[in-house]
Amino acid sequence: MKVGICDTTFARVDMGAHAIDEIKQHVGNITFIRRTVPGIKDLPVASKKLIEEEGCEIVMALGMPGPEEKDKVCAHEASTGLIQAQLMTNTHILEVFVHEDEGENPKDLKQLAENRAREHAQNLIKMMFKPDAMRKEAGMGMREGRPDVGPV
Ligand code: RDL
Ligand code: RDL
């Protein structure tokens, strides 16, 4: 199976590497096709090309919106583009965004980004290979990168 990994140079943590490492630890026989672009607004077309031109069955789009208001707008635009690319290709693109201001300090941001990348990689594995395991988590208050909040 081909998995697309699309990430940015704007991000301050190499989330793509963490995602690939996590998938490799749990499933064999995956071909990774990785594309790095400057920023999150470049992720939608790069992801669409991974699906249409490289034959990826699922893509992770990893990026880091900055702390400024314009970065938040940028993130919303990128997100809209990623959704459109999913609808155009009928293929999942897992958006793995870590907003820079989610981190309480550089160390926390680094850990949060690694954890979110790895936990969304686990989501990818469940979606593609273990749909029953995913179903068991329905309504369980799962979060990525921070502790789960759990069901009410
Ligand atoms: O197509 C080139 C750029 O427009 C594109 O790479 C943008 O995503 C770059 N960019 C911004 O222009 C911006 O204002 C980014 C951010 N903010 C941001 O917060 N995070 C990014 N890119 O990854
Ligand atoms: O409720 C606390 C957080 O879950 C909330 O602040 C989220 O919005 C944080 N968050 C993002 O901002 C984001 O871009 C999350 C994700 N992506 C994500 O993929 N998974 C999360 N939170 O659990």
Side-chain angles (χ1 to χ4, degrees):
M1 182 194 276
K2 283 188 190 171
V3 171
I5 301 290
C6 200
D7 60 3
T8 70
T9 58
F10 190 104
R12 301 179 65 197
V13 178
D14 187 357
M15 294 189 279
H18 292 307
I20 291 171
D21 180 66
E22 185 71 23
I23 296 170
K24 274 190 181 162
Q25 277 182 35
H26 293 91
V27 265
N29 238 352
I30 301 276
T31 301
F32 293 96
I33 304 181
R34 186 170 181 181
R35 293 284 180 272
T36 303
V37 294
I40 49 179
K41 280 201 270 193
D42 310 311
L43 291 172
V45 70
S47 300
K48 185 166 172 281
K49 284 164 75 73
L50 283 172
I51 295 162
E52 291 182 345
E53 296 176 9
E54 304 292 341
C56 291
E57 289 178 50
I58 187 163
V59 173
M60 294 179 81
L62 310 110
M64 186 170 284
E68 311 290 338
E69 186 55 35
K70 62 176 177 295
D71 298 324
K72 302 289 179 192
V73 173
C74 190
H76 179 260
E77 289 163 346
S79 198
T80 305
L82 285 170
I83 292 166
Q84 203 180 339
Q86 293 182 73
L87 295 171
M88 289 173 83
T89 57
N90 229 14
T91 301
H92 283 292
I93 301 170
L94 290 181
E95 178 192 294
V96 185
F97 281 5
V98 176
H99 294 253
E100 209 176 322
D101 56 13
E102 282 185 80
E104 283 162 21
N105 52 55
K107 192 169 167 238
D108 182 61
L109 179 66
K110 191 166 185 251
Q111 194 62 63
L112 170 64
E114 172 169 353
N115 291 350
R116 184 164 294 160
R118 288 187 183 278
E119 288 174 36
H120 272 307
Q122 287 290 343
N123 284 337
L124 180 149
I125 293 168
K126 285 176 213 150
M127 287 168 72
M128 301 308 280
F129 302 104
K130 305 172 183 173
D132 290 343
M134 196 71 170
R135 210 168 296 127
K136 283 204 184 96
E137 293 179 359
M140 296 306 283
M142 307 302 284
R143 296 293 183 271
E144 290 78 24
R146 299 279 190 211
D148 300 332
V149 295
V152 180

